[in-house]
Every structure is written in C-alpha cells, then in structure tokens.
Amino acid sequence: MEQANVDGQRRRVPWVVGVSGASGTPYAAAVLRGLLDAGESVDLVVSRASRLTLLDETGIAFRDAHWRDDLAAWLARGADGKPLGTAPDLRDVRHWPAGDLAAGPSSGSYPVKGMLIVPASTASVAGVALGLSKDLLQRAASVTLKERRPLVVAVRETPLNGQTLKHLVALDEAGAVVLPASPAFYAGATHIQDLVDFVAGRVLDAAGVPHRLYRRWAGELGGGSRRAGDGGDGG
C-alpha cells in the first residue's frame, strides 16, 4: 500500500510481519495471504528459530538468498500441506534478514503501518516486553511500540506460566493487542484451514485490514453448524 509524500510522489507504507519460532507457521501464511489479497505491502522478518519450525511443519527451508522462491512455496500450501491454487503476488513483499539490525524496520523514521507477530513465541513476547531487541523481529516490535503504531501479538503457547502472563500484560499496557491463537468453532469450520483462517482473520481485524477469511457471527445460534452441514464454504 502506498501513500503520497510531501512532494506528491507515492511512497510504500507496509505492514511488518514477524514470524517467530513458535509452532503455528500456517497462521503466518494465512495472515500473509490475507494482507496481499487486501493489496497491502509487506515487510517480512522470519526469525532464525522460526525457520526450524517452518522446516519441521512444512518441509520448506526458508533461505535468505532464495527467500522469494521459498515464500512462494510456503504460501501456495494450505495447513494440510495441499496446494491452495493460485499463488499470491509477491511483488510488494520485502524480506529483511533477522540479523540485520540496520534494516528499515529497525528505525522509527522508516514508514510502516504497524507490525503483526504471527505466531509469537514466549521468547519473542519476553524480548519485546523487556525491550531486549536481540534480533530484528524484537527491535521492529519495540520501534512499533515507541512510535505508537499498531502491534498485534498472536501468542501461540499453552499453558502460560506466570512470567509470560506478566509479559503479556506489559505488552497490553504498552498499547499492543495481545491475541492468543485460539480458533473458534461457531463459524461452521469443516477443515483445518478454516480454523487457521479464523485466527488469521482476527489478526487482520485487529489491524483494521479487510478480509473474507471467516464467517462472522450474526447472532444466529447454530447457524454455522447448519451451513456447514449444508456444504457451506466454512471459510
């Protein structure tokens, strides 16, 4: 997504998406697809730990030198590993290596709309809450908070211990949206991707990005189950 600058020229203003090492890489893929489908620009930061999780959960190795090909392969698959169809357009995605602390998102003067950490590990939650900035993901999140931009933290861990709960409270008090990766079942889900898309949709809701990833509650008890039974799209 672009905005006009003082000279009337168009400038790119992306969402930063940080992928940490928690289990839940399908959530990140669904959020990325949703942002791109909405015409948003994306700056992507994939932590070192998340690359191990991605390899374990999908069999895809995410490599800095081949990130575009690896990202295309990742986003082309659903949560069950099967092809989804047409791959999203990646022309407005920029990748920043996790160890690059001189990257654009490390500075408050770099224009972004906000940041989404999906999934967020307890280690990344602690790092952001304590202001450690040990890698670009944590640094970009700290910058997002200090600049009073939207930060959505989709924590994916259970159970949560007291220290992590304190860190989440600290993030909430700093202005972040703490969004546990908790799928709902009222929308008539019939497939694992439906549950993943629900969480991704709630992340995009918190960011104010329009989408059609899940069926919204309409005040009708049992409506989701009836539609699912009738062969509804469940998405």
Side-chain angles (χ1 to χ4, degrees), residues 86-152:
T86 305
D89 187 345
L90 303 181
R91 286 179 294 180
D92 208 5
V93 178
R94 184 169 186 178
H95 166 255
W96 298 96
D100 185 2
L101 292 179
S106 69
S107 172
S109 65
Y110 182 78
V112 302
K113 290 186 173 181
M115 183 172 182
L116 316 174
I117 306 179
V118 188
S121 65
T122 55
S124 65
V125 165
V128 177
L130 298 174
L132 299 182
S133 297
K134 76 180 184 74
D135 62 9
L136 180 59
L137 188 153
Q138 293 183 12
R139 172 60 185 169
S142 295
V143 168
T144 300
L145 288 176
K146 81 178 182 68
E147 296 294 330
R148 303 296 191 265
R149 294 167 179 159
L151 174 65
V152 182

Side-chain angles (χ1 to χ4, degrees), residues 1-35:
M1 188 67 67
E2 296 180 341
Q3 296 179 358
N5 61 20
V6 293
D7 299 321
Q9 298 175 335
R10 307 301 293 179
R11 70 173 182 175
R12 180 176 177 275
V13 185
W15 284 96
V16 178
V17 176
V19 185
S20 81
S23 176
T25 55
Y27 292 129
V31 166
L32 288 166
R33 286 192 295 265
L35 288 170

